Amino acid sequence: MGLRFDHLSLSLRGRPVLRDVSGAIAPGGITVILGANGAGKSTLLSCLAALRKPDAGTVTLDGRTLDSVPAQERARKIGLLPQQADIHWDINVRALVALGRLPHHGRWRRSSEDEIAIEEAMAQTDCARFADRKALRLSGGEQARVLLARILAGRPEWILADEPIASLDPAHQMDALACFRAAAQAGAGVALVLHDLTQAARIADHLIIMKEGRIIASGPVADVLTPEILQAAYGVRIYIGHDETGASIIAPVAKLS
């Protein structure tokens, strides 16, 4: 049944941000949401995570309306990595990653399963080597990996991540995307907001492209990542080529007047 959204509309401070958008995040795959700044991508993720309530329309989780799912159950099922994720406590990395297990056991009890999930998440995100360092003393890219590890430690059924690779170097971008792919292969439904079109083409199973609060295209990569659709979404002329493996390379060429 999946995580579905039907006819969502939402205005913020009198400005329409979502305009009658519908779609689904399928389990076992990666959906990438693309669009220019202000297209409504982050707002859509917020609605899917129950952080914002739409003015109209519904979000359903496995056939139940999202607002009818108890908060702790939502926290176990849905992991959200927001765009402006901040670390507020000067605790060590292992303790911060362990917070991802709170929906499963509460504050005081931690099982062997919890410990395994924490260690696996740190290993997947290359955080284990500084597990005992204070999180606030890490670089921005290191902090981004720790926050991703916290989400992965919770082993949610649905992972929603807003620009999760924006502050990472190329090698760690590839590592992070590999983590999302592994989660999808294990059965999770993953939704990523990305700005890197080449990475989107390589990681996505399904694409949603938004413009001015609407979905202007949705479907498989080959059907959606066309010069015409990307030009309409971003207002730039787009080059699409391929590397020696046949994987797509997508780059803006010129801004349209």
Side-chain angles (χ1 to χ4, degrees):
M1 286 181 280
L3 182 60
R4 293 196 53 84
F5 52 101
D6 294 286
H7 303 292
L8 297 189
S9 293
L10 176 65
S11 293
L12 298 175
R13 295 178 292 278
R15 182 176 70 88
V17 181
L18 296 178
R19 306 170 188 254
D20 193 29
V21 297
S22 298
I25 310 302
I30 296 178
T31 298
V32 174
I33 306 172
L34 298 174
N37 294 339
K41 306 180 299 296
S42 298
T43 303
L44 176 57
L45 280 195
S46 295
C47 290
L48 296 181
L51 295 184
R52 290 190 185 275
K53 185 175 177 61
D55 298 330
T58 57
V59 179
T60 55
L61 177 61
D62 295 332
R64 294 184 290 170
T65 59
L66 194 58
D67 55 9
S68 72
V69 179
Q72 187 167 2
E73 182 180 350
R74 285 202 309 264
R76 287 195 301 268
K77 288 181 174 291
I78 301 175
L80 173 67
L81 185 60
Q83 181 179 346
Q84 301 296 332
D86 294 316
I87 296 173
H88 299 287
W89 307 284
D90 195 20
I91 57 179
N92 68 35
V93 166
R94 181 177 281 102
L96 181 56
V97 175
L99 294 177
R101 298 300 301 173
L102 283 180
H104 297 271
H105 61 69
R107 182 173 297 181
W108 305 116
R109 301 188 311 276
R110 192 183 296 174
S111 67
S112 59
E113 182 182 354
D114 294 326
E115 297 295 347
I116 291 170
I118 292 164
E119 295 302 321
E120 285 184 351
M122 288 193 297
Q124 289 173 332
T125 54
D126 195 25
C127 295
R129 55 196 174 89
F130 47 77
D132 296 320
R133 288 174 57 188
K134 295 292 187 180
L136 286 177
R137 300 175 194 178
L138 302 176
S139 71
E142 290 169 336
Q143 288 185 4
R145 283 151 50 200
V146 172
L147 291 169
L148 173 57
R150 183 179 67 178
I151 297 298
L152 295 176
R155 294 178 175 173
E157 296 176 19
W158 307 93
I159 299 174
L160 313 176
D162 194 350
E163 298 188 38
I165 63 173
S167 63
L168 301 180
D169 61 62
H172 284 108
Q173 285 186 8
M174 296 175 73
D175 288 344
L177 293 175
C179 289
F180 292 121
R181 173 54 65 196
Q185 288 175 338
V190 179
L192 308 177
V193 170
L194 297 179
H195 280 299
D196 188 316
L197 299 176
T198 295
Q199 296 285 30
R202 297 182 182 203
I203 195 65
D205 299 305
H206 185 91
L207 282 169
I208 293 173
I209 299 189
M210 300 186 68
K211 180 179 181 180
E212 296 176 352
R214 294 185 172 89
I215 293 175
I216 64 169
S218 179
V221 173
D223 294 342
V224 172
L225 278 189
T226 68
E228 295 77 15
I229 291 175
L230 293 175
Q231 178 175 305
Y234 292 100
V236 296
R237 188 159 56 87
I238 294 288
Y239 164 82
I240 300 180
H242 299 87
D243 66 15
E244 66 277 6
T245 70
S248 295
I249 298 174
I250 304 175
V253 174
K255 187 175 180 179
L256 301 175
S257 56

